[in-house]
Amino acid sequence: MSLEELYRQVILDHYRNPRRSGSIEQADAHAEGHNPLCGDEVTIEVMIDDGVIVDAAVRGRGCSISQASASMMADAIVDKSLESVATLTRQVKSMLDIEDGNPGLDPERPGSVLGDLEALAGVKQFPVRIKCADLPWTTLEEALATTD
Amino acid sequence: MNPTTVRADFPILSRRVNGKQLVYLDSAATTQKPIQVIDAMNDFYRRHNASVHRGAYTLAEEATALYEGARSKIASFLDADSPREVVLTRGTTNAINTVAYGWGLYNLKPGDRILLTKMEHHANVVPWQLICRHTGAELEYLPLTDDFLVDTSNLEAVIDNRTRVVAFSGMSNVLGTIGPHAELIQAARSVGAMTIIDGAQLIPHAPTTVHDLGADFVVFSAHKMLGPTGIGAMWGRMELLEAMEPAEGGGSMIRDVQLDNSTWADVPYKFEAGTPPIAEAIGFGAAVDYLTKLGMDNVRAHEIEITRYALDRLGEIPDLTVYGPDDTSMRGGAVSFTLADIHPHDLATILDQQGVAIRAGHHCARPLMRVLDVPATARASFYVYNTLEEVDALIAALHDARRIFDVA
C-alpha cells in the first residue's frame, strides 16, 4: 500500500466512521480544543486507572484531517500507560514536523510502526493543515496535564 | 472589457502553483494587483518618498501632491462633492471603528438601538459590540429570508425612535447578496438614525455613487479593488464629519496642542493621526484609475456574466449546495457552497493541488454561519481578471474532489 493510498483510505475511513466517538460521564480528564482560524473542534475525555488510560471518547467537528486524527488517537491510546501515551504523542508530533526528533517509522513498510496513525505523515505535504492533525494531540496533552 | 486582455496587466496571474496554472478565485478576500498599481508604489519610493503635509522641500511637496491626488481620485470615483469628504483609513475595519468610536461613543446612550443584519462581516459587528459595552446601547439584527436576502418584511416594527444607528453590508462577502440599501436608508432616515454602509464588497464590484447610496457613511478597502493592503476610505457627510470626534489622537490631526488640551485639524485631517501609509494611498489612487478606465458598468456586467455561468455549472454537480441568491441582479460574485460531507478545508486543499485557490472557513461571519447551520463554507469569488475557463477549472477540480472523497 502506498503512502498516498494509506492517507486517502485511512483518513477517509476514520472521518466517516470515527472510533470511540461520544462521551464518558465522570471522566478522569477532559479537554476541549479548537482552532479558531478554521473552526475545527475536538473534545476528549479519558478514564485513567493506575497510570493507564482505560477508556477514551472523542467528539467534535471539522475537516477530515482533524477528525480522523482524533479518531485514530482515541483508538491508539486506550490500554496504554501515561508514559507510553506521552512517547506516542512525541512520535506523532515529530512525524508532523511540529517537534524535532525521529518518529522511527520504517519507510519500506508504511503502517508497520504506528499503524493507521502513519497516514498522518502525509499531512506534512500540506503545511497549512498540520495544525488540523495536531489539534487532538495538543488537546490530549491539555487533558492529561490536569491530572498531574 | 475583455478579461483575457485585463489579465496581461497582472503579473501574478501567470504563476504556476503545484505544477498547475494558478486559478485565483479568492478576490473577495483580496484582489491581485495590476502592474499599474505596483509601478505607482514603486515609483513613489524610488523618486518621491517623503512625509506629507509638512515639508518645505520638493520631495515633500511631491509626496503631498500625490497623496492628496489619490484622495481626489477616490472622491471622483464616488462622485463625492469634495475630496474633503474622503478620510483615508487603514481599511474598512479601521473606518467602521472610526465611526463607532468617533460618533457612537459620543452619541449613544442606554436603551439606544444599533440595527445590523445577520449577514454582517465581523468588522461590522464587533466594533458595535464594543460601543454597546461603553454606552449601554443594544444590538438588533435583521434576519435573512430563505432565499438569502435581508428580510425587511418586519422593518417598520424593528426600526423606531430608539434606533440610532443602521449599519449594514452593501454586498455580503459570503452570500454575495446586495443589501436593500434604499429601503434601509429610507427607514433609518424616517427615525433620524445614522446610516453606514460596509462597502468592502459593494464598492469594488458595482457602479455606485455616494449620492445613489444616500447613506451617512460609506466605508471600503483598497485591497479588495486592485489596490494595496493597509489603506481604505471612509466617505462621510460633511456635517457629520465636522461634528464627529476623532477616534485616534496623535501627530498631524491637531490644530494646536496645549499641556492639558488640544484642538483638532480640519476634516479630513483630524481623522488621520500619525504618518499615513503614503505609498499605499498612491497605490489606491492608481487602482481607482485602473477601475475607472475599465468602467464600473463593464466590471459589473462581467461579474454578472461569470457569476451566472458559475452558478449554472455548480448546479450540475451532485450534492453541491450554494448559499446565496440565484438571481444575479441581487448579488455579486462571491459564491459560497458546500459539497456533500467534504469539509470546506479539505475541498480547498484538494482544489489547491489543481492550482485553484478558493477560500474555506467562516469568512469572518460566524453569526451568518449559524443562520446557515454550517460550520464553514467553501467560497469562490470572481473579479475583472477571471475567465469562464477558470470556472471550468473550478468545476473540474470539484469533480476531482468528489472522486477522491468517494462521494457516491
Side-chain angles (χ1 to χ4, degrees):
Chain A
M1 184 182 280
S2 76
L3 191 64
E4 186 184 323
E5 282 167 349
L6 182 75
Y7 168 69
R8 191 178 144 213
Q9 290 184 12
V10 172
I11 287 196
L12 274 188
D13 177 38
H14 280 271
Y15 178 53
R16 293 230 166 91
N17 310 294
R19 319 294 200 269
R20 299 185 184 275
S21 172
S23 55
I24 296 171
E25 278 181 43
Q26 301 190 323
D28 295 311
H30 68 94
E32 290 172 24
H34 69 282
N35 180 345
L37 281 182
C38 63
D40 290 340
E41 297 170 358
V42 175
T43 300
I44 293 164
E45 286 153 348
V46 294
M47 297 290 283
I48 302 167
D49 186 18
D50 199 21
V52 174
I53 292 182
V54 292
D55 196 7
V58 290
R59 59 185 183 277
R61 61 180 191 172
C63 68
S64 63
I65 293 170
S66 69
Q67 301 307 305
S69 176
S71 167
M72 292 181 219
M73 181 187 78
D75 235 8
I77 61 176
V78 172
D79 295 332
K80 280 203 172 67
S81 70
L82 292 174
E83 289 77 17
S84 14
V85 168
T87 305
L88 178 64
T89 304
R90 300 274 79 74
Q91 276 179 294
V92 170
K93 283 178 179 263
S94 64
M95 187 173 72
L96 290 169
D97 272 352
I98 298 167
E99 291 183 3
D100 292 340
N102 186 345
L105 306 186
D106 180 352
E108 299 297 314
R109 295 181 300 141
S112 61
V113 179
L114 293 180
D116 284 1
L117 283 171
E118 290 189 28
L120 292 176
V123 174
K124 268 191 307 192
Q125 300 164 47
F126 312 107
V128 294
R129 308 300 301 279
I130 289 173
K131 277 195 168 152
C132 307
D134 178 51
L135 177 67
W137 298 89
T138 297
T139 308
L140 176 68
E141 284 184 312
E142 284 168 15
L144 297 181
T146 64
T147 65
D148 290 347
Chain B
M1 192 191 97
N2 180 350
T4 310
T5 318
V6 170
R7 292 177 73 79
D9 289 329
F10 292 75
I12 203 171
L13 296 180
S14 58
R15 243 203 86 161
R16 294 178 77 79
V17 169
N18 294 319
K20 303 282 167 51
Q21 175 62 46
L22 169 66
V23 175
Y24 185 75
L25 301 180
D26 196 19
S27 291
T30 197
T31 61
Q32 297 303 344
K33 321 304 174 195
I35 192 70
Q36 290 84 345
V37 168
I38 298 167
D39 282 350
M41 296 176 71
N42 201 342
D43 186 57
F44 171 72
Y45 282 126
R46 283 173 171 273
R47 292 167 44 83
H48 310 290
N49 181 51
S51 194
V52 293
H53 298 144
R54 48 180 134 267
Y57 52 92
T58 303
L59 289 188
E61 280 169 19
E62 289 173 3
T64 303
L66 286 165
Y67 180 78
E68 291 302 324
R71 190 194 310 278
S72 296
K73 289 172 184 181
I74 297 159
S76 300
F77 186 74
L78 299 170
D79 195 28
D81 290 337
S82 159
R84 293 184 58 224
E85 296 172 348
V86 175
V87 176
L88 293 171
T89 68
R90 294 194 297 276
T92 304
T93 299
N94 177 232
I96 294 173
N97 277 280
T98 300
V99 178
Y101 283 89
W103 190 92
L105 198 56
Y106 299 92
N107 289 283
L108 295 171
K109 57 183 189 305
D112 284 351
R113 300 275 177 86
I114 299 166
L115 182 63
L116 311 172
T117 81
K118 287 220 174 149
M119 67 176 193
E120 298 312 310
H121 188 284
H122 294 163
N124 198 31
V125 174
V126 183
W128 300 115
Q129 290 176 341
L130 290 168
I131 286 302
C132 285
R133 277 200 213 167
H134 287 293
T135 63
E138 293 160 23
L139 294 180
E140 272 184 303
Y141 292 88
L142 283 173
L144 304 179
T145 65
D146 290 343
D147 45 358
F148 309 103
L149 302 177
V150 177
D151 186 351
T152 53
S153 60
N154 207 22
L155 191 55
E156 282 177 21
V158 176
I159 290 192
D160 59 26
N161 290 331
R162 290 170 299 177
T163 309
R164 304 306 304 141
V165 176
V166 178
F168 61 98
S169 168
M171 182 188 277
S172 163
N173 68 314
V174 177
L175 306 171
T177 303
I178 295 174
H181 312 142
E183 210 178 343
L184 287 182
I185 284 169
Q186 194 184 2
R189 191 165 292 160
S190 72
V191 295
M194 186 274 277
T195 53
I196 172 167
I197 295 182
D198 168 1
Q201 299 294 330
L202 179 72
I203 299 299
H205 294 271
T208 38
T209 71
V210 289
H211 303 288
D212 293 342
L213 291 172
D216 293 318
F217 294 95
V218 179
V219 299
F220 53 102
S221 300
H223 75 98
K224 294 186 199 292
M225 49 192 292
L226 310 180
T229 53
I231 186 93
M234 171 178 91
W235 172 88
R237 283 188 196 286
M238 188 49 78
E239 63 271 25
L240 280 164
L241 293 174
E242 299 272 14
M244 219 166 104
E245 292 292 321
E248 286 185 345
S252 303
M253 52 75 72
I254 47 86
R255 181 183 309 281
D256 186 27
V257 177
Q258 301 288 339
L259 289 180
D260 301 336
N261 216 338
S262 300
T263 50
W264 312 142
D266 287 338
V267 172
Y269 307 110
K270 78 170 171 184
F271 300 109
E272 297 179 6
T275 302
I278 305 165
E280 284 76 5
I282 292 163
F284 193 0
V288 162
D289 280 344
Y290 192 91
L291 287 171
T292 303
K293 204 168 157 195
L294 289 181
M296 287 305 291
D297 286 320
N298 297 325
V299 169
R300 176 70 181 143
H302 167 256
E303 180 140 306
I304 286 176
E305 183 193 9
I306 197 167
T307 304
R308 180 71 270 154
Y309 183 67
L311 290 171
D312 289 345
R313 296 248 27 218
L314 288 168
E316 294 167 7
I317 299 179
D319 313 304
L320 188 141
T321 308
V322 171
Y323 300 90
D326 185 62
D327 180 350
T328 50
S329 73
M330 319 270 255
R331 63 167 302 142
V335 181
S336 284
F337 57 91
T338 54
L339 176 54
D341 70 342
I342 310 177
H343 192 279
H345 289 117
D346 292 319
L347 262 187
T349 298
I350 294 169
L351 265 56
D352 186 50
Q353 298 308 299
Q354 304 299 321
V356 179
I358 63 160
R359 177 81 187 270
H362 52 64
H363 315 291
C364 296
R366 284 188 164 240
L368 176 55
M369 293 295 115
R370 291 190 190 96
V371 172
L372 302 177
D373 196 25
V374 290
T377 70
R379 181 188 68 192
S381 55
F382 309 109
Y383 208 32
V384 293
Y385 35 67
N386 290 122
T387 64
L388 301 186
E389 290 73 27
E390 289 183 303
V391 175
D392 293 336
L394 166 70
I395 301 298
L398 288 171
H399 281 296
D400 209 36
R402 276 178 57 87
R403 183 185 56 74
I404 291 170
F405 262 75
D406 291 328
V407 177

